[in-house]
Amino acid sequence: LSRALARVMAHELIQLIAPHLPHAPGGLMSTTLGRDFLLRPLAVALDGGLASAVRAAFRSWPGLAAGA
């Protein structure tokens, strides 16, 4: 249950941080996160392009500048 909840939370946080990013056909940013995906014991990662876009969106949030 904790793994599934963490994956749903990660998906929703990415949507909060970078709402302009579209859903993906599969993986963490899929439109639907099925039972098999949510409970799979393997690690889940974002592809490089999506990870970079999320980091850039996070850095651009107001009030997150160094020292803020």
Side-chain angles (χ1 to χ4, degrees):
L1 178 62
S2 61
R3 178 180 295 127
L5 183 57
R7 289 178 179 173
V8 170
M9 289 172 58
H11 173 96
E12 295 302 329
L13 282 171
I14 290 170
Q15 287 191 313
L16 176 68
I17 293 167
H20 61 283
L21 296 178
H23 280 99
L28 185 62
M29 292 312 297
S30 176
T31 303
T32 59
L33 302 175
R35 182 182 192 280
D36 289 340
F37 175 80
L38 292 174
L39 300 178
R40 181 181 312 151
L42 301 174
V44 175
L46 299 176
D47 68 46
L50 183 58
S52 294
V54 170
R55 281 192 294 272
F58 187 71
R59 283 192 299 267
S60 70
W61 270 21
L64 290 181

